[in-house]
């Protein structure tokens, strides 16, 4: 089973700042199988990025994903008020155990 | 529009059973692999189970130890999760989710329902 570790656990930033979220895997896998989600309280999770770097439909270009092997990053270029939420990475390489990271809470400073 | 709607949650005593449903609309349900994901109070997302588009393949998280059964009815565009021998640690918001690509290996969940809450308590 691939374990995903996200850091930091909580990130405190201000609107307009740049956010960098990390997702580290316990073993290397193809970047084709790494996704990022945004989750706000009371709402369904929202797919942001698939294949480590491809934006999902309707996702603003201030969201970008990168990385390979065991290290993946979600970057939010200029934070908008609506971006403050919990972010999860998920792997699909060790099918069918599609594990999530534990999440990073992005909060307003 | 593409939509998933879960139902069937509620309060149940430990050891009892519950059946969740996920009604799909707006897309060709029979061509997509589907999943259940849960979130316990104050915790992160946990993948629960997968059923292939034709129901020939089903897999579960190791933590479930054979207590849950996933199924689907492609004529009714509905997926199910039968949960038996429920425990307090099964208390969670249960989401259904669609695999992003049809008829091929999953690489993301692109459509999610709003979730149905299951509370296991005496």
């Amino acid at each position: 089973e691939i374990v995903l570790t996200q850091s930091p656990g909580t990130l405190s930033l201000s609107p307009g700042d740049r956010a960098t979220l990390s997702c580290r895997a316990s073993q290397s896998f193809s970047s084709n199988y790494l996704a990022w989600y945004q989750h706000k309280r009371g709402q369904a999770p929202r797919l942001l990025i698939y294949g480590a770097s491809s934006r999902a439909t309707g996702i603003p270009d201030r969201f970008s994903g990168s990385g390979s092997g065991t290290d993946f990053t979600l970057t939010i270029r200029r934070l908008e008020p609506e971006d403050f939420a919990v972010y999860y990475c998920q792997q699909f390489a060790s099918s069918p155990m599609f594990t999530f990271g534990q999440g990073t809470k992005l909060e307003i400073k | 529009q593409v939509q998933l709607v879960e139902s069937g949650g509620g309060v149940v005593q430990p050891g009892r059973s519950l059946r969740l449903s996920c009604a799909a609309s707006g897309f060709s349900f029979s061509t997509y692999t589907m999943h259940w994901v849960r979130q316990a109070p104050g915790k992160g997302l946990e993948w629960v189970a997968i059923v292939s588009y034709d129901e020939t393949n089903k897999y579960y998280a190791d933590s479930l130890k054979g207590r849950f059964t996933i199924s689907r009815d492609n004529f009714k565009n509905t997926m199910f999760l039968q949960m038996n021998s429920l425990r307090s640690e099964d208390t969670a918001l249960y989401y259904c989710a669609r695999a992003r690509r049809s008829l091929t290996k999953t690489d993301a969940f692109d459509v999610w329902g709003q979730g149905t809450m299951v509370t296991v308590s005496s």
Side-chain angles (χ1 to χ4, degrees):
Chain A
E1 178 184 334
I2 296 177
V3 176
L4 299 179
T5 302
Q6 292 185 240
S7 61
T10 302
L11 186 56
S12 300
L13 295 171
S14 301
D17 287 348
R18 178 188 185 96
T20 303
L21 286 67
S22 173
C23 176
R24 179 162 290 178
S26 58
Q27 58 187 276
S28 180
F29 62 90
S30 168
S31 60
N32 290 336
Y33 300 113
L34 192 285
W36 289 94
Y37 303 88
Q38 177 191 68
H39 193 197
K40 297 180 181 179
R41 184 182 297 275
Q43 297 185 18
R46 177 190 183 196
L47 175 64
L48 299 174
I49 301 286
Y50 63 91
S53 61
S54 298
R55 271 188 301 277
T57 303
I59 301 304
D61 62 6
R62 65 178 182 273
F63 290 91
S64 63
S66 63
S68 63
T70 60
D71 291 299
F72 300 91
T73 300
L74 175 70
T75 302
I76 311 172
R77 197 172 63 239
R78 284 179 58 87
L79 286 167
E80 298 286 343
E82 62 267 26
D83 297 338
F84 292 91
V86 180
Y87 291 83
Y88 294 94
C89 58
Q90 185 187 21
Q91 65 79 25
F92 293 84
S94 64
S95 176
M97 298 304 182
F98 304 116
T99 50
F100 290 91
Q102 82 278 19
T104 289
K105 181 181 180 181
L106 179 56
E107 64 176 24
I108 299 177
K109 187 174 183 180
Chain B
Q1 96 247 32
V2 175
Q3 192 173 13
L4 298 172
V5 179
E6 302 93 338
S7 61
V11 180
V12 61
Q13 293 179 328
R16 303 298 292 265
S17 299
L18 207 58
R19 188 195 199 204
L20 306 183
S21 298
C22 169
S25 59
F27 66 98
S28 182
F29 179 73
S30 64
T31 66
Y32 284 85
T33 294
M34 297 293 296
H35 299 255
W36 286 99
V37 175
R38 68 184 182 182
Q39 183 177 35
K43 303 295 185 182
L45 299 174
E46 178 187 17
W47 176 78
V48 171
I50 175 178
V51 59
S52 61
Y53 67 94
D54 57 1
E55 211 177 6
T56 55
N57 292 297
K58 304 176 183 181
Y59 298 99
Y60 304 89
D62 290 341
S63 61
L64 299 180
K65 295 182 180 178
R67 297 181 296 117
F68 289 12
T69 302
I70 192 171
S71 62
R72 64 191 295 161
D73 183 337
N74 284 344
F75 293 104
K76 296 183 177 179
N77 291 339
T78 304
M79 176 177 66
F80 304 98
L81 186 67
Q82 177 68 41
M83 304 185 295
N84 298 330
S85 303
L86 283 163
R87 305 167 179 171
S88 58
E89 55 262 37
D90 297 318
T91 294
L93 184 60
Y94 285 74
Y95 296 100
C96 60
R98 186 185 82 168
R100 189 181 72 86
R101 299 183 298 180
S102 65
L103 301 175
T104 188
K105 183 174 167 63
T106 300
D107 69 348
F109 299 160
D110 68 338
V111 181
W112 296 68
Q114 290 294 317
T116 186
M117 186 68 200
V118 173
T119 303
V120 184
S121 174
S122 55

